[in-house]
Amino acid sequence: MRPIIGVTTFLSEQSKYSTVSRNYIDSIYAAGGLPVNIPIISNESNYEDYIDMLDGLLFTGGNDIAPYYFGENPVRELNSMSSIRDEYEFSLFKAAYEKNMPIFGICRGIQLINVAMDGSLYQDIYSQCPGTLGHSPEHTASDEFYHAVQIKVDTQLYEIFGEERIFTNSFHHQSIKQLGNNLIATAYSEDGIVEAIESTEDRFLLGVQWHPECMTKRHPMFLKLFRAFVEASIQYKQKEVSV
């Protein structure tokens, strides 16, 4: 049976829909997982019942994370925030992490993981990181290569791609500043921005700053990320069944 992969959602501007891009769904399914969207439930902070039914958890892209979660006031360039989504995802992360469930974070997702592990963020790399190159093109298709990423050898990410340098897309203005506990940076863009992280512990906890879900159909190499995540979720499922 396919492992069940939970996919985090976001609220529409009118708060009428709890939704997510179909690209995440298609990529998970193509990699062998069974995607299930997890809705944002009003006034709810306990999502353990959802975690109990899952084999893996994917944190998706979207809103800026509120800077008070890492002890800062907002800079002028901060964009949309949603405390409702922040609380929902931090609750999901805590429950999944405590169960040693495989966790994969994309764009906002890598930032969520880092803050959940007591790390911090650059709220706006263009104003806070001198010499920053382009990371958020306005008129470029989401499946286009945009900038290079350097991958460290002897890391899980290197095992997945088998290459030290790849090109990715890029749609973000925030990034990791101080790494959270038990995390290491495994890839950087050539201006020094952290592009990937993973856990120092024996678990699947991986985050990337780009959007591989937008690339998998045109550039199948990015499906390797989802396959590695799904495989870890299969192993987790098997352990849970045997307990």
Side-chain angles (χ1 to χ4, degrees):
M1 294 179 63
R2 290 172 178 260
I4 300 173
I5 307 298
V7 182
T8 61
T9 57
F10 68 93
L11 291 174
S12 64
E13 290 185 7
Q14 298 81 16
S15 296
K16 292 183 178 180
Y17 304 101
S18 186
T19 186
V20 72
S21 167
R22 183 174 174 177
N23 288 327
Y24 297 105
I25 307 304
D26 290 347
S27 295
I28 290 170
Y29 196 82
L34 185 64
V36 174
N37 291 355
I38 304 176
I40 299 173
I41 302 174
S42 298
N43 302 317
E44 182 57 71
S45 60
N46 186 345
Y47 286 86
E48 291 188 5
D49 288 343
Y50 278 99
I51 294 299
D52 288 343
M53 65 180 281
L54 301 177
D55 304 307
L57 181 59
L58 172 65
F59 287 96
T60 58
N63 312 79
D64 291 348
I65 295 172
Y68 51 75
Y69 283 106
F70 46 94
E72 295 184 8
N73 284 309
V75 300
R76 289 180 299 175
E77 293 80 5
L78 195 70
N79 290 330
S80 66
M81 299 190 317
S82 170
S83 61
I84 295 173
R85 182 178 182 184
D86 289 343
E87 291 169 6
Y88 148 80
E89 290 191 338
F90 283 128
S91 296
L92 283 170
F93 180 88
K94 183 176 184 294
Y97 187 83
E98 288 177 351
K99 292 193 68 173
N100 204 24
M101 178 181 292
I103 298 172
F104 183 25
I106 292 175
C107 199
R108 169 192 161 92
I110 185 179
Q111 298 162 12
L112 185 285
I113 291 170
N114 192 61
V115 174
M117 298 295 285
D118 295 325
S120 63
L121 304 176
Y122 290 111
Q123 296 182 49
D124 180 69
I125 56 176
Y126 299 116
S127 60
Q128 295 181 311
C129 301
T132 298
L133 301 174
H135 286 266
S136 186
E138 294 184 5
H139 305 291
T140 301
S142 61
D143 60 357
E144 289 282 356
F145 289 134
Y146 190 60
H147 66 62
V149 169
Q150 297 289 144
I151 300 175
K152 290 184 176 181
V153 297
D154 298 325
T155 63
Q156 193 172 25
L157 193 67
Y158 180 79
E159 290 179 4
I160 290 171
F161 284 109
E163 298 182 48
E164 293 185 54
R165 188 172 187 262
I166 63 173
F167 278 84
T168 70
N169 59 7
S170 185
F171 298 96
H172 68 102
H173 80 112
Q174 295 194 315
S175 74
I176 289 174
K177 182 164 59 175
Q178 179 179 334
L179 278 168
N181 299 327
N182 301 320
L183 297 174
I184 58 170
T186 58
Y188 294 86
S189 54
E190 294 180 358
D191 53 3
I193 298 297
V194 174
E195 291 285 339
I197 59 172
E198 61 191 55
S199 177
T200 59
E201 302 173 304
D202 184 19
R203 61 165 70 228
F204 189 98
L205 177 60
L206 180 67
V208 297
Q209 187 59 75
W210 67 91
H211 279 273
E213 81 284 359
C214 298
M215 308 283 281
T216 54
K217 293 176 183 177
R218 185 176 175 189
H219 306 283
M221 62 178 283
F222 289 100
L223 197 59
K224 294 178 181 179
L225 280 167
F226 292 91
R227 286 176 176 154
F229 174 45
V230 167
E231 179 58 36
S233 300
I234 291 172
Q235 294 175 11
Y236 174 84
K237 183 182 186 74
Q238 292 171 342
K239 288 180 182 178
E240 288 292 294
V241 170
S242 64
V243 173

